[in-house]
Amino acid sequence: MSAGEEKPDLEVKFRRSLLASEKWLSKDTVLSAGKAVTVGIFILIVLGPILYLLFQIIVSWGDINETVFNDPILGNEAFLSMLRSIGLSFEIAAIVTVFDIVVGVPMAWILARYEFKGKSILDTMVDLPMAVPTSALGFSVYLFWGTNNGISRLYNSQVGFASQGTLLIIFAHVAFTFPYVTRSIKGIIADLDLNLEKAGKTLGAPPFTIARMISLPMVKEGLLAGTVLAFTRSLGETGATLIVSGVYQTAPVVIVSWMKGLKIPTTAFLAFILIIISLILLTFVRLFARRVGLPWNKVFPRFERKLSSKKVTRTRNTFSIALFLLFVFIPALFVIVFLFQWWGGSPFSGEFEAGMIYQVFLAPDKKINDIMTALVTSLEIALIVTIVNLLIATPMALMISKMKNNKVKGFLDGLIDIPLVIPSSALGFSIFFLWGSNGLHILSPGFAMIVIAHISFTYSYCVRPLIGSFDSISTMYDEAAAAFGASKITAFRTVTLPFLKSGLIAAAIMTFTRSMSETGATIICMGIERTIPVLLVDFFEASTFPAAAFASTILIIISFVMLILLRLVTRRKKDA
Amino acid sequence: MVKVELDDITKYYGKRRGVENINLSIEDGEYLAVLGPTGSGKTTTMYLVAGLLSPSKGRILFDGEDVTKEPSEDRNVGFVFEEYNLFPRMNVESNVLFGPTVKNLDLSESRQIAREMFSLINITGKEMNFPDEISGGQKQRVALARAIVSNANLLVMDDPLRALDAKIREILQVELRNLVKDLSLTCIHATHDTQEAMRVADKIAVFKDGAIVQFGTPEEVYNNPVSIYVANFLGETTEIEGIILQENNQSFLIAEDNKIEIETELISGTKAVALIPAELVDIHSISERGKITYDNNIEAKIIKTKCVGEFYDVDLIAFNQVIKAKELIGKNVPLTEGSKVLFATDKGDFRVFPIEEDEKDEKEI
Amino acid sequence: MPEIRLQSVTKIFGRKVEAVKDLSFIIEDGEYVSLIGPSGCGKTTTLRLLAGTILPTQGNIYFDNKSVENLSIRDRNIGFVFQHFAIFPHLTVWENAAYGPRVRGRKNSEIDSLVDHALKAVQIDDKAELYPPSLSAPDWQKTALARVIASEAKILLLDEPLGALDQKIREEFQVFLRNLVKKEGLTAIHVTHDQSEALTISDKVAVMNKGKLVQLGTASDLIFTPNNIFTSFFVGESDFLESVVLNDKEDFAEVRVGQSTIKVKNMGISRGRRAVVAVRREFFKVHKYEDKIKTGNFLPGVVVRDQFLGLLRRVRVKLENQQIVEVKIHAKHPIRFKENEKVRLVIDPSSTRCFEYPEEGVASALEM
């Protein structure tokens, strides 16, 4: 450099100012402010509505007391019907969860442990019901079990196997909750150290005993988490339930219908109760999951040996797959069959006007217009929700992942799960309550309010996988970057972000899919614009089944594409 | 308490060979080391004996009884894994009592045996700890106790000390052998470490690419390695190439105009390589020439000396070649770099192998 | 080029886990020091304290007499090399090396010359444009070293840097690493679990146990003149004879071991005190009992086992006081000892060490 000091060129200048601003951003005070904002947004969007609801319940207890317990005409009838609906919801959720565990656990074992042709297809089949909007799923289940188009054809009956009501609700809920249990333990089972089982074997334990005494305790937490998820999803589901319930109304459906009747105080109280129940469940699981023991140290050698035999194992596996196909997969996708049955006319009368083509494309009120509008609305909402959530969830995930104080970390981590467990209609209601005319009076029901509601309940879906991604990046990269003088934000940009790519995409897909499929919260927060799952419910109520089947099929295809994308992204991550 | 026989055992994983035509017989109460590098079929053999794998061909006999078809849980083999494999959700005592529990043995009796084991292997006081609360050495001790308390009469260990630090390894080698002998168990112990194999075992089977290449007592194997491969695997050696000369009932290797006395049956003119293990190269000062009684005393120059604890590692130059030597540190010899010394060896120290031309070609490919 | 000084550094994790206790030592400018000790002895914690990724609970660390208490890891100007490399997989070898100067805002021409020098120094300049996933483990570690050199760090902290490499490559890498450090004039602190690596590669070795520094010295200090019982135990192999000092006046003190009296190195333990004599297993000479020997400095015993190991032979001998000691002899030692044969263990007093008897007992003093 003898030719005098050369002037730093533009690139260097830019780099230096970038580094300087990143250094400023990395200052402890600025970072703390950033953290405060992150938590602030979380509170505003997710916790705020819930807290406000709680606050209002206390403040206007007099009103509620009057409408719920001491109505001049109905007395405490409102409260009684609340209890009935909650009771029904619990009953259904309990039955559904038992099915999910009994069939889902062996299914997870099959998917994690066996190698066979078509395994990845089965794997996708198991996950699919989770991605498909529940209203489409509910409709499909209704067609399969509840009408003469479905299973009843097998025995030539003119009516469906089950009419709208409890049994049909259970069938519908089984279909969409099934993946939760399987998914939450499949990965854990696959990651279990097979050598532990080998050790158990050499010590004289048959396979069933090993699974029970060694493997199960290690998947316990995952199983419990999946169970709670399945349970709360069943407890809080609206879209499918609206279609299959008939007069038997579960609690979230009651919220929606009371909301339509503008019974605000009673709705508030019911939403409040549902939220409290979900929170108690969540707290219980988070605090006690590890401590719940499986107290069977007793071994029944002969019996367990029998259970371990190849014959029993094979029978169990066959049953699991058969039950999955009958109760989950076929009903969930039956709508596609229905669509083809009704493609160009009624399969019974042959009447062209009753067919899909006419209803959707040719009739004077051709449904394709509604479908396209609703689809665009849904896509817009999902896109906005995904972008906003990535922006607000990434700092939160980073913060939780890096947090050193385990108690605070656990607490915050638990808070993140709240939107995951509380019924979306209750959450939607509390957002309506806070932002709408009863609260801040900033928004009236419509597009913006739907977006906020969706951001709120998809928040967990975005943060969860991101926390996982951050946790999987070894701290040594950060330390290495720091040792070379990189500020925290510089290290984040240059080192962490490149590792995060697939994690971000996965989070985005999860968020997008979940937003696309929501019904309950949308109905409560919407104005005149309908999203496609809501449109489906409307089609159903108007009995335009073939049009509904067409819309459902579109939704199923979109979900399927999303699921395949998600698989590609997460698989690539594993290879790297 | 059991005699183990492997009768022509072969195991393929798909098309990949695990082991082929393994014939082994381990006497009741004998301690066998299976020695070989990673991928030589040691673990496969251990798993076959324990029934964690079933052979593609051949039979496994315990006390003459065919157990090839018996599942692992019925074989009563105590298995110790490289990575311990303690059950993470059970404390030390429950780990050790797992075997007796699932076999429905008398638990109070087993508890008594476990207690004796704990004091024998020095982990008394840790019974209620969980595996992640104890050190690596302690974990492997617990794993050993677990294998023995489950009523095993055959102990199979798959590189049990590999994951441990050198100091602990050295201590546990002695402990292991003593314990196995005190309880008169039959034992098969796979390891990649020659010194470990020599230290624990009565007999050694050397594995290469899924086959046994040599079998015998440690001393037999060490003194008469069957191939260059085995000789090199047993320790550090220097290879000296030359031509054989038989003369007056004496055998020599002519290398770079030097005549080295060796022991060999090869005829004169054969191209051969003589391997000399580093520890058999003795270094003496030049002044001792004539006072020492070695078969070969060759002048050499020290080019490098380093002390790594128990040995000096010395590099010598003799006949245009670097010769590796190891001297125990207790010996008083001048080992300064650059000094001239005598490189002293006996004819029996060399392991001589003919060089086959095509073999050499193969090497170059 | 800095001198590193630790002054009474203590690190407590959580409420009571004392990872490092009252640690004080000095590493001179340009020195290569290794830290060894059993796992959990605090060697990695010490390295992290120096790096600044954790802060001492008590005490202070000085670089060139300046306290680094308030310097974060970013401002300490250190280079950190990890066992698992921590090179950035999304950057090429060149970009990895350029990382330090880039984030410090150096000019492009400076970056070029720093990186070129660094890549040449570690001999990886031919792979500059490749991405790490296409390289092998030794190249990863070279890239990590190039990154440190280009960043102009003067203190190199190495955490098991060769731990993930194969044995053969490790030995070559030891020489390479030492030469590199010396040529670049770095002060290096190297944590390893491999004693022979530490003894080969460094100017000095620090032995640690249970969070404390046991001894800091050259390889030959640790092997031949350990100044405490743990070093004698941990570096190489020794036997420990419990004894009582009878005479402390001469160069060689007289001690009683069991029924016998032997001369050992006088290390200032006064008469009547209990002592532990440490003898390296290579330093015993074993003779048949009936052989004529010139010295009276021996302990009688009975052979338990004469074990042939190829590399050497180990003769286990039971002394009169029932203690079993082990002697390492040349594999070609002319005599094979039979079980129960009576022998004498001859001890050269100048090769012994004589330590104060530890209050907590020998076994506890050796606990790792």
Side-chain angles (χ1 to χ4, degrees):
Chain A
M1 262 167 262
S2 52
E5 266 304 300
E6 42 179 315
K7 287 244 161 94
D9 60 20
L10 210 60
E11 191 263 314
V12 176
K13 264 193 191 153
F14 172 72
R15 176 151 47 85
R16 281 184 184 165
S17 48
L18 180 63
L19 290 170
S21 50
E22 283 174 338
K23 192 163 185 184
W24 183 80
L25 286 170
S26 305
K27 278 208 240 168
D28 284 349
T29 44
V30 181
L31 280 182
S32 306
K35 284 179 190 169
V37 171
T38 305
V39 175
I41 292 175
F42 170 65
I43 290 175
L44 187 67
I45 304 243
V46 180
L47 290 190
I50 298 169
L51 293 174
Y52 180 71
L53 182 66
L54 177 69
F55 171 73
Q56 279 299 323
I57 297 281
I58 296 167
V59 170
S60 42
W61 179 251
D63 267 6
I64 288 167
N65 197 18
E66 199 163 298
T67 43
V68 176
F69 297 100
N70 301 306
D71 190 275
I73 305 163
L74 301 167
N76 63 350
E77 182 50 37
F79 183 62
L80 289 181
S81 66
M82 255 181 225
L83 286 186
R84 269 197 303 276
S85 67
I86 292 173
L88 180 65
S89 285
F90 261 88
E91 201 180 299
I92 290 168
I95 295 170
V96 164
T97 310
V98 168
F99 177 90
D100 288 351
I101 294 173
V102 170
V103 182
V105 172
M107 188 60 131
W109 198 272
I110 294 170
L111 288 173
R113 281 297 165 78
Y114 292 79
E115 284 305 326
F116 53 93
K117 257 191 197 162
K119 174 173 161 173
S120 67
I121 296 175
L122 183 62
D123 203 14
T124 314
M125 279 162 64
V126 169
D127 280 354
L128 190 62
M130 202 165 60
V132 176
T134 50
S135 54
L137 216 61
F139 178 57
S140 185
V141 169
Y142 171 75
L143 294 175
F144 184 72
W145 293 109
T147 69
N148 57 358
N149 294 281
I151 185 112
S152 57
R153 284 194 156 198
L154 289 181
Y155 51 88
N156 284 320
S157 166
Q158 290 307 307
V159 292
F161 177 82
S163 56
Q164 283 181 317
T166 313
L167 187 59
L168 208 52
I169 300 178
I170 290 172
F171 283 158
H173 284 208
V174 158
F176 70 79
T177 59
F178 183 78
Y180 289 96
V181 170
T182 305
R183 250 184 84 98
S184 56
I185 60 171
K186 187 182 70 188
I188 307 176
I189 295 175
D191 287 345
L192 282 181
D193 187 355
L194 283 178
N195 285 319
L196 291 181
E197 290 171 27
K198 291 197 181 111
K201 250 180 154 179
T202 61
L203 292 168
F208 183 82
T209 314
I210 293 172
R212 185 169 72 76
M213 291 181 73
I214 298 170
S215 311
L216 207 55
M218 287 193 282
V219 301
K220 192 177 66 186
E221 284 110 17
L223 181 59
L224 212 54
T227 306
V228 167
L229 225 53
F231 190 86
T232 51
R233 276 294 274 149
S234 165
L235 203 61
E237 206 283 332
T238 322
T241 319
L242 276 173
I243 290 174
V244 295
S245 58
V247 292
Y248 295 87
Q249 295 195 314
T250 63
V253 171
V254 170
I255 288 186
V256 171
S257 63
W258 282 355
M259 183 61 202
K260 280 182 176 164
L262 291 175
K263 296 183 195 163
I264 305 292
T266 37
T267 318
F269 189 63
L270 179 54
F272 168 75
I273 293 177
L274 278 180
I275 289 173
I276 294 295
I277 290 173
S278 308
L279 290 184
I280 290 172
L281 275 173
L282 176 67
T283 316
F284 173 79
V285 169
R286 296 209 50 114
L287 290 183
F288 303 110
R290 269 208 89 126
R291 277 182 244 165
V292 175
L294 297 159
W296 296 333
N297 263 332
K298 181 117 187 71
V299 178
F300 310 93
R302 198 170 302 160
F303 176 62
E304 299 197 3
R305 204 157 268 244
K306 226 170 240 166
L307 279 182
S308 306
S309 75
K310 283 215 170 102
K311 218 170 167 190
V312 174
T313 311
R314 205 176 306 132
T315 316
R316 190 179 57 220
N317 291 346
T318 316
F319 259 96
S320 302
I321 294 178
L323 287 176
F324 163 74
L325 289 176
L326 179 62
F327 286 100
V328 181
F329 187 71
I330 297 175
L333 294 190
F334 181 74
V335 65
I336 299 174
V337 178
F338 178 86
L339 180 67
F340 286 108
Q341 284 173 352
W342 290 73
W343 189 267
S346 161
F348 300 106
S349 62
E351 187 191 351
F352 180 66
E353 280 76 10
M356 188 277 288
I357 300 275
Y358 181 79
Q359 275 193 7
V360 175
F361 296 104
L362 302 174
D365 63 334
K366 50 185 179 187
K367 298 289 189 246
I368 185 72
N369 293 337
D370 291 345
I371 292 173
M372 287 317 287
T373 318
L375 190 60
V376 170
T377 308
S378 275
L379 289 173
E380 277 172 2
I381 290 171
L383 206 64
I384 296 173
V385 166
T386 305
I387 292 169
V388 173
N389 248 340
L390 282 182
L391 289 177
I392 63 175
T394 311
M396 184 57 124
L398 181 62
M399 201 170 107
I400 291 179
S401 169
K402 292 272 144 96
M403 207 166 264
K404 292 209 178 84
N405 184 330
N406 277 330
K407 278 198 183 131
V408 181
K409 182 174 178 162
F411 178 68
L412 213 53
D413 201 69
L415 287 186
I416 295 296
D417 276 347
I418 288 179
L420 212 57
V421 294
I422 64 179
S424 57
S425 53
L427 188 59
F429 176 78
S430 40
I431 281 162
F432 162 80
F433 206 55
L434 172 65
W435 296 85
S437 53
N438 301 68
L440 300 172
H441 213 319
I442 296 174
L443 299 170
S444 47
F447 192 87
M449 199 185 265
I450 300 178
V451 167
I452 291 186
H454 281 212
I455 290 174
S456 177
F457 69 76
T458 57
Y459 191 79
S460 329
Y461 287 85
C462 198
V463 177
R464 267 286 145 241
L466 284 176
I467 293 177
S469 305
F470 280 121
D471 283 346
S472 71
I473 303 172
S474 162
T475 54
M476 71 179 178
Y477 291 104
D478 270 346
E479 285 174 8
F484 295 116
S487 63
K488 284 180 184 161
I489 299 292
T490 308
F492 179 79
R493 171 174 60 89
T494 54
V495 179
T496 313
L497 216 49
F499 279 107
L500 205 61
K501 228 182 275 165
S502 60
L504 280 172
I505 298 175
I509 296 174
M510 293 282 278
T511 312
F512 189 88
T513 318
R514 188 67 186 85
S515 167
M516 279 293 286
S517 63
E518 172 59 24
T519 320
T522 316
I523 293 182
I524 288 170
C525 293
M526 73 184 183
I528 40 163
E529 284 154 314
R530 286 179 294 183
T531 63
I532 194 147
V534 175
L535 183 71
L536 244 167
V537 176
D538 289 350
F539 281 173
F540 175 79
E541 280 169 359
S543 289
T544 46
F545 285 9
F550 180 77
S552 296
T553 306
I554 290 181
L555 282 179
I556 289 174
I557 291 169
I558 293 176
S559 321
F560 182 71
V561 170
M562 287 292 163
L563 202 62
I564 299 293
L565 280 180
L566 187 64
R567 277 178 176 257
L568 287 179
V569 172
T570 42
R571 180 172 316 151
R572 209 181 312 139
K573 197 173 123 201
K574 253 181 219 156
D575 292 344
Chain B
M1 292 182 276
V2 64
K3 177 183 170 162
V4 181
E5 287 162 282
L6 275 66
D7 176 18
D8 212 26
I9 286 285
T10 296
K11 171 73 188 173
Y12 271 81
Y13 302 99
K15 280 193 174 155
R16 196 167 57 80
R17 178 164 87 165
V19 293
E20 191 143 22
N21 303 335
I22 299 286
N23 287 292
L24 255 183
S25 170
I26 304 119
E27 295 301 323
D28 185 3
E30 199 170 57
Y31 199 133
L32 172 80
V34 166
L35 175 64
T38 313
S40 60
K42 300 188 304 275
T43 298
T44 302
T45 311
M46 299 298 107
Y47 278 19
L48 286 166
V49 173
L52 292 171
L53 286 173
S54 51
S56 317
K57 207 185 80 187
R59 296 185 310 154
I60 294 169
L61 305 141
F62 287 179
D63 277 337
E65 197 182 315
D66 190 341
V67 296
T68 321
K69 293 272 183 307
E70 296 253 320
S72 180
E73 58 261 35
D74 298 335
R75 285 201 196 181
N76 268 340
V77 172
F79 202 102
V80 178
F81 297 82
E82 179 186 334
E83 297 290 352
Y84 329 123
N85 291 335
L86 296 182
F87 306 130
R89 298 288 170 91
M90 299 182 195
N91 63 21
V92 165
E93 190 183 39
S94 310
N95 260 286
V96 172
L97 291 179
F98 181 86
T101 308
V102 298
K103 284 182 182 169
N104 244 11
L105 302 178
D106 181 351
L107 269 188
S108 59
E109 193 183 311
S110 301
R111 208 163 270 138
Q112 187 56 39
I113 302 172
R115 216 164 287 145
E116 283 165 24
M117 275 301 291
F118 289 145
S119 75
L120 211 56
I121 58 175
N122 237 335
I123 46 171
T124 309
K126 303 271 181 198
E127 294 91 335
M128 292 302 140
N129 288 58
F130 282 84
D132 57 2
E133 299 166 343
I134 59 178
S135 72
Q138 288 169 336
K139 279 184 203 161
Q140 202 52 301
R141 290 184 170 106
V142 173
L144 185 66
R146 183 177 68 174
I148 293 173
V149 173
S150 76
N151 222 7
N153 37 27
L154 168 64
L155 195 58
V156 176
M157 300 192 272
D158 185 19
D159 226 339
L161 309 180
R162 186 181 199 128
L164 301 172
D165 281 357
K167 197 75 207 172
I168 308 270
R169 208 153 62 212
E170 171 198 309
I171 293 168
L172 275 178
Q173 282 165 5
V174 179
E175 273 184 28
L176 263 183
R177 181 172 166 98
N178 290 346
L179 190 67
V180 167
K181 289 293 163 189
D182 287 350
L183 300 174
S184 39
L185 298 172
T186 310
C187 178
I188 311 177
H189 174 146
T191 174
H192 66 289
D193 178 347
T194 307
Q195 279 301 300
E196 179 172 313
M198 298 254 216
R199 206 149 179 203
V200 295
D202 303 316
K203 295 263 180 64
I204 292 182
V206 185
F207 272 59
K208 182 195 178 191
D209 298 337
I212 297 176
V213 288
Q214 193 163 7
F215 179 79
T217 66
E219 196 157 358
E220 284 163 8
V221 173
Y222 178 83
N223 285 335
N224 306 296
V226 295
S227 65
I228 299 179
Y229 172 84
V230 175
N232 279 327
F233 196 75
L234 293 176
E236 198 172 11
T237 65
T238 306
E239 296 185 17
I240 304 170
E241 284 186 24
I243 295 175
I244 302 291
L245 174 69
Q246 298 283 6
E247 193 178 73
N248 307 330
N249 283 334
Q250 280 180 302
S251 310
F252 298 95
L253 183 81
I254 311 295
E256 300 271 338
D257 299 334
N258 284 274
K259 228 169 144 185
I260 309 169
E261 186 171 5
I262 54 171
E263 280 175 352
T264 181
E265 310 272 285
L266 297 172
I267 55 166
S268 291
T270 317
K271 275 194 178 174
V273 57
L275 272 65
I276 174 83
E279 60 275 12
L280 296 183
V281 174
D282 287 347
I283 298 173
H284 289 273
S285 67
I286 297 279
S287 60
E288 285 183 273
R289 197 198 292 273
K291 292 180 206 155
I292 48 175
T293 56
Y294 287 86
D295 299 329
N296 299 297
N297 299 308
I298 297 164
E299 209 168 281
K301 190 172 136 193
I302 295 182
I303 54 166
K304 207 174 93 189
T305 303
K306 75 178 186 191
C307 180
V308 290
E310 61 180 348
F311 286 100
Y312 287 106
D313 278 343
V314 185
D315 286 0
L316 303 167
I317 289 271
F319 36 89
N320 287 336
Q321 187 171 357
V322 178
I323 311 279
K324 302 255 177 212
K326 272 184 187 297
E327 290 287 349
L328 272 174
I329 62 168
K331 197 170 152 190
N332 291 319
V333 270
L335 294 172
T336 35
E337 290 179 10
S339 61
K340 291 228 158 134
V341 289
L342 288 180
F343 147 45
T345 49
D346 286 317
K347 58 184 179 185
D349 298 341
F350 292 91
R351 289 83 169 94
V352 183
F353 303 96
I355 301 177
E356 281 153 32
E357 289 303 323
D358 46 342
E359 201 176 288
K360 221 186 160 194
D361 287 347
E362 251 173 58
K363 252 192 211 164
E364 275 158 22
I365 292 164
Chain C
M1 291 209 271
E3 167 202 287
I4 299 168
R5 182 155 56 89
L6 280 82
Q7 200 170 61
S8 322
V9 173
T10 296
K11 175 69 193 177
I12 301 173
F13 286 115
R15 293 233 178 91
K16 53 181 180 204
V17 186
E18 283 188 294
V20 162
K21 265 181 258 178
D22 196 22
L23 198 61
S24 300
F25 62 84
I26 294 177
I27 295 167
E28 316 246 335
D29 182 9
E31 215 167 38
Y32 199 127
V33 173
S34 291
L35 305 181
I36 60 172
S39 43
C41 71
K43 51 188 194 288
T44 304
T45 306
T46 308
L47 202 69
R48 301 177 68 78
L49 285 164
L50 289 171
T53 53
I54 51 174
L55 295 174
T57 316
Q58 272 164 39
N60 238 327
I61 298 171
Y62 301 88
F63 291 177
D64 270 342
N65 283 321
K66 281 195 281 291
S67 166
V68 294
E69 195 184 354
N70 295 316
L71 286 186
S72 75
I73 175 169
R74 300 177 171 74
D75 304 315
R76 290 192 181 192
N77 206 17
I78 46 147
F80 212 142
V81 173
F82 303 80
Q83 175 176 9
H84 296 292
F85 320 112
I87 48 174
F88 308 129
H90 59 289
L91 302 178
T92 63
V93 169
W94 199 95
E95 289 163 345
N96 262 286
Y99 189 83
R102 276 189 73 85
V103 297
R104 287 209 161 98
R106 304 294 293 264
K107 278 184 292 185
N108 285 344
S109 57
E110 290 170 349
I111 295 176
D112 286 347
S113 72
L114 284 168
V115 172
D116 286 347
H117 165 75
L119 294 184
K120 284 211 179 75
V122 302
Q123 298 155 19
I124 199 170
D125 41 329
D126 54 328
K127 291 172 184 156
E129 297 310 318
L130 299 181
Y131 283 90
S134 66
L135 300 174
S136 62
D139 284 342
W140 290 336
Q141 208 52 297
K142 283 184 174 179
T143 307
L145 286 166
R147 200 170 56 173
V148 170
I149 289 168
S151 77
E152 297 177 289
K154 288 298 164 209
I155 296 176
L156 178 58
L157 303 175
L158 303 133
D159 187 8
E160 292 278 3
L162 313 181
L165 307 181
D166 289 344
Q167 186 57 38
K168 262 246 138 37
I169 295 164
R170 274 178 92 128
E171 280 167 25
E172 288 166 24
F173 224 102
Q174 285 167 12
V175 179
F176 169 81
L177 190 54
R178 183 180 164 87
N179 291 343
L180 183 72
V181 166
K182 291 293 168 190
K183 210 174 89 199
E184 298 292 324
L186 307 175
T187 305
I189 298 112
H190 178 132
V191 164
T192 175
H193 71 275
D194 180 346
Q195 270 185 39
S196 80
E197 178 174 302
L199 296 171
T200 313
I201 206 168
S202 20
D203 302 316
K204 284 190 187 153
V205 178
V207 182
M208 294 183 67
N209 189 35
K210 293 188 167 172
K212 288 188 171 160
L213 178 70
V214 176
Q215 187 170 358
L216 173 66
T218 63
S220 118
D221 288 344
L222 300 182
I223 296 168
F224 298 106
T225 54
N227 64 15
N228 67 83
I229 178 169
F230 187 82
T231 307
S232 327
F233 162 75
F234 191 74
V235 180
E237 293 173 41
S238 294
D239 278 306
F240 299 97
L241 310 168
E242 297 183 15
S243 57
V244 179
V245 177
L246 300 177
N247 174 354
D248 59 359
K249 292 290 172 261
E250 313 287 323
D251 281 357
F252 295 124
E254 267 182 1
V255 299
R256 173 170 290 277
V257 179
Q259 309 296 319
S260 315
T261 303
I262 53 169
K263 283 198 162 75
V264 298
K265 185 120 191 165
N266 187 346
M267 289 174 67
I269 298 164
S270 36
R271 209 178 118 185
R273 306 272 307 171
R274 294 177 76 192
V276 177
V277 175
V279 186
R280 291 188 61 98
R281 289 175 169 170
E282 298 86 357
F283 291 164
F284 283 117
K285 299 272 176 292
V286 54
H287 292 275
K288 293 192 166 198
Y289 197 83
E290 56 275 19
D291 284 356
K292 281 193 185 134
I293 48 176
K294 287 177 208 150
T295 164
N297 214 38
F298 66 85
L299 295 171
V302 174
V303 171
V304 178
R305 185 165 190 228
D306 178 355
Q307 190 180 14
F308 179 87
L309 296 168
L311 198 56
L312 45 75
R313 270 168 43 209
R314 289 172 182 269
V315 184
R316 290 168 76 76
V317 176
K318 191 191 268 180
L319 301 180
E320 280 176 328
N321 63 2
Q322 302 302 307
Q323 185 183 356
I324 292 180
V325 296
E326 202 170 270
V327 184
K328 293 182 184 176
I329 58 174
H330 197 292
K332 286 200 295 187
H333 190 285
I335 303 159
R336 277 302 172 96
F337 297 94
K338 290 193 257 332
E339 215 172 296
N340 292 327
E341 185 172 357
K342 283 186 83 179
V343 291
R344 300 185 210 205
L345 286 184
V346 173
I347 293 164
D348 173 3
S350 62
S351 70
T352 60
R353 306 295 288 166
C354 182
F355 307 116
E356 191 92 41
Y357 188 87
E359 279 168 28
E360 68 273 29
V362 175
S364 315
L366 300 183
E367 206 171 83
M368 297 191 280

